[in-house]
Amino acid sequence: MTTLSNTPDKLQSSSASRTRCYGMMAEFATPGEIMKAAEKVRAAGYRWWDCHTPFPVHGLDNAMGISPTILPVFVFFAGLTGTMIAFGLQAFTNATDWSIWAFVWVTGYPFLISGKPLLSVPAFIPVMFELTILLSALTTFGLMFLLNGLPRLHHPLFTSNRFLRASDDRFFIVIEARDPRFRRQATRDFLEGLSPIAVEEVLDT
Amino acid sequence: MSHAALDAGRFDLSSQNLTLGAPASLLSRVLVIIGVVLLIVSGMMAWGTDDLAMVSKSYLVSFMWILAISLGGLFFTFVQHLTHAGWSVAVRRPAEVLAANLAWIWIFFLPIVFMWLRGDLDALFIWADMEHLRAHNPEEADVVAKKEAYLNTGFFFTRAVAYFVTWAILGTFFYRMSLKQDSEGGSRITDLLQKVSAPAALLFGLTVTFAAFDWLMSLSPAWFSTIFGVYFFAGTCTAGFSAMILICVYIQRSGRMKGLITSEHYQDLGKLLFAFGMVFWAYIGFSQYMLIWYGNIPEETGWFLSRQVGDWSLLSLALLAGHFIIPFLCLISRWPKRYPLFLMVGAVWMIIFAWLDLYWLVMPVIPEDVYTATSYTEFADAHENASTHLSTPINWSLFLGMACCYFGITLGRLRRHPLLPERDPRLKESLSFENI
């Protein structure tokens, strides 16, 4: 396991056979600088790249040209599923005498409560509401993890000592090597043209 | 944030961009004239009517509607100060102007005082004439008689004065202080308003709750619902936030506030309308409905029964669909809230449904046989022809007359000063505000 104190240079010499280039990283001092730089990276046509900042920088999504997430669509339909499951379950158990097989045989039990109709939607609404919220919330949480590529125990960026300051006071742009426009030297030159504090190659171990 | 500082020069804060021009002045006068004409026509239609109950209730609906819009504006204003909000500064002035209307809104309450002086108040509030009620419906009179310590004309109008004075003071205070900051600058007034908004919230909650009890719930004096004040409060949010959106869109359509109110602000106004005006309203409305429906006590269910027989059942369902389900689906996404014209259509829709909601609260009469009918079916059959009287012309002449007067006066006030608090310390933050 790589420790954070290893520098890329050491890594390269010790296990050159196992390392490959993950991407090129540029370091900036202020949100304004990274905003300008992000616009240029976007204009240069890179697609596999990201910004890392200590706090949310308003407008950065726009500058990077990130399209809105698809998550809300899933959440909407998960919520709708919850509504319908809750309605179906209550309608089945309270208003029908059907027998269905759900791993065991279960039978609906028509249960008259204070003279209300057997199928009375108002009484079902609290459970429908709760299950809608439950499925929406779980879907939001779970899919947020999956769409972000989580959980993962290791990320190549953590091999860089410089990158530690991404959670403190520095702003980073990383262009990944898998980007079709990535050329080791050309990309380094390009990033240096954005007047960063430093440019560094990140190695994947 | 330094990003904001970088682009400080891009905002056009010239007085040309910050004040409404002559067309607004003309529109304001035309609206007031149309409104006054419509109100006079309504008055002539109402004069010597044999159905004073219908006319006065119709008037009450439209009065409560303009009141709800103003209270929504007041709520928005003090909540922004209470939460030290930065995003809303650019759209706060329209809310302050709506709240400032509370200084004169009592004038529209005078017809009800006039009814009292003429001795006709019982046409609107049946508890005002207990002898008549007892002769007419002794069971209901027995219940209402126990509430006489609260429901009597003397105390009723004393409370009304207290509400109007409180609202006039609060509305005027927030409005005047904000104007004063335009010339004074600095953060002193912001600090002061933030301090005042906490007690203001308390007073607002109490007055709105009891005003709703007095002017809406006591129309059916035997009936009660403890959540009723909150329900009316949800309605003030619907009406007030819709009116704010409409005013903001109007200002920008007339070529002012260019680049100052952005789709970021519209999105947040849309969120507020969505959350308070639709979801919260439905939540409170359902909470009220379900407890009464489950409890199934005759003195409580009568109120809902009278709203689900005949044409009223259609209006109740229309309200559920039009005040909640349809706008919920239309405004749940991000883009409709960021697109001012779409949001404007939503706001027009919601402000009309806010009026229909009040109509639904005020208009139905609980039939007397609700206490004696032996089954729901029997009751529903007996009243299957119950009409909502929604198409009666006076409903619409009063509604449009009040709307024209109200927005005419609001517009007239809006064009007298800058359209945003130009020296608010958080203005820059608001102008460069972005949802992530």
Side-chain angles (χ1 to χ4, degrees), chain B residues 42 230 254:
Chain B
S42 314
V230 188
S254 50

Side-chain angles (χ1 to χ4, degrees), chain A residues 30-32 35-36 55-59 61-62 68 76 113-114 116-117 120 122-123 125-126 129, chain B residues 1-3 6-7 264 283 286 289-290 292-296 328-329 332 334 432-436:
Chain A
T30 67
M35 190 89 75
K36 293 237 152 64
F55 50 80
V57 175
H58 293 272
D61 284 13
N62 242 347
F76 181 79
I113 300 166
S114 67
K116 306 293 186 200
S120 33
I125 284 182
F129 174 77
Chain B
M1 197 162 293
S2 58
H3 175 218
L6 277 174
D7 301 312
E264 307 293 338
Y283 183 76
F286 178 72
Y289 177 74
M290 196 186 75
I292 290 174
W293 176 84
Y294 240 133
N296 207 12
F328 178 86
L329 294 175
I332 191 169
R334 187 171 187 263
S432 45
F433 160 70
E434 294 195 32
N435 292 286
I436 295 177

Side-chain angles (χ1 to χ4, degrees), chain B residues 215-352:
Chain B
W215 301 338
L216 295 174
M217 200 168 88
S218 86
L219 290 164
S220 308
W223 183 75
F224 56 90
S225 163
T226 45
I227 206 172
F228 196 84
V230 188
Y231 185 83
F232 176 64
F233 161 68
T236 65
C237 294
T238 315
F241 297 161
S242 303
M244 279 183 65
I245 292 170
L246 292 180
I247 293 175
C248 288
V249 174
Y250 168 75
I251 289 172
Q252 294 210 295
R253 296 289 290 173
S254 50
R256 300 301 192 274
M257 300 275 273
K258 284 282 168 216
L260 302 182
I261 303 179
T262 64
S263 50
E264 307 293 338
H265 299 109
Y266 284 115
Q267 190 190 349
D268 270 19
L269 287 174
K271 283 181 208 163
L272 278 174
L273 178 61
F274 179 81
F276 280 88
M278 300 168 200
V279 180
F280 181 66
W281 173 88
Y283 183 76
I284 298 301
F286 178 72
S287 303
Q288 174 171 282
Y289 177 74
M290 196 186 75
L291 287 192
I292 290 174
W293 176 84
Y294 240 133
N296 207 12
I297 303 168
E299 70 209 49
E300 287 182 349
T301 48
W303 195 83
F304 278 110
L305 276 180
S306 61
R307 282 160 179 77
Q308 62 183 56
V309 290
D311 289 352
W312 283 108
S313 62
L314 286 180
L315 187 62
S316 299
L317 290 175
L319 203 56
L320 175 65
H323 203 305
F324 175 56
I325 297 172
I326 296 170
F328 178 86
L329 294 175
C330 288
L331 275 189
I332 191 169
S333 298
R334 187 171 187 263
W335 69 265
K337 295 191 281 262
R338 296 175 68 86
Y339 184 52
L341 283 186
F342 192 97
L343 191 63
M344 184 195 78
V345 174
V348 170
W349 175 279
M350 287 315 290
I351 209 166
I352 290 174

Side-chain angles (χ1 to χ4, degrees), chain B residues 174-194:
Chain B
F174 280 102
Y175 173 69
R176 288 270 167 79
M177 277 299 163
S178 182
L179 287 189
K180 198 172 169 199
Q181 193 174 41
D182 282 357
S183 52
E184 186 186 299
S187 61
R188 182 187 76 88
I189 286 176
T190 302
D191 290 338
L192 173 71
L193 291 180
Q194 283 168 2

Side-chain angles (χ1 to χ4, degrees), chain A residues 53-81:
Chain A
T53 59
F55 50 80
V57 175
H58 293 272
L60 189 56
D61 284 13
N62 242 347
M64 293 173 68
I66 294 180
S67 55
T69 165
I70 187 119
L71 187 59
V73 178
F74 287 109
V75 173
F76 181 79
F77 285 102
L80 216 55
T81 312

Side-chain angles (χ1 to χ4, degrees), chain A residues 70-153:
Chain A
I70 187 119
L71 187 59
V73 178
F74 287 109
V75 173
F76 181 79
F77 285 102
L80 216 55
T81 312
T83 319
M84 291 192 294
I85 289 178
F87 177 78
L89 180 71
Q90 293 177 97
F92 167 68
T93 52
N94 286 309
T96 70
D97 55 359
W98 306 338
S99 291
I100 59 164
W101 193 83
F103 300 105
V104 290
W105 281 98
V106 284
T107 305
Y109 186 73
F111 193 22
L112 193 67
I113 300 166
S114 67
K116 306 293 186 200
L118 287 173
L119 191 74
S120 33
V121 180
F124 297 168
I125 284 182
V127 177
M128 285 159 72
F129 174 77
E130 295 299 342
L131 216 58
T132 308
I133 302 296
L134 180 71
L135 286 206
S136 309
L138 289 179
T139 308
T140 313
F141 185 74
L143 271 186
M144 186 275 289
F145 257 69
L146 292 179
L147 293 178
N148 279 323
L150 295 170
R152 63 183 294 173
L153 298 173

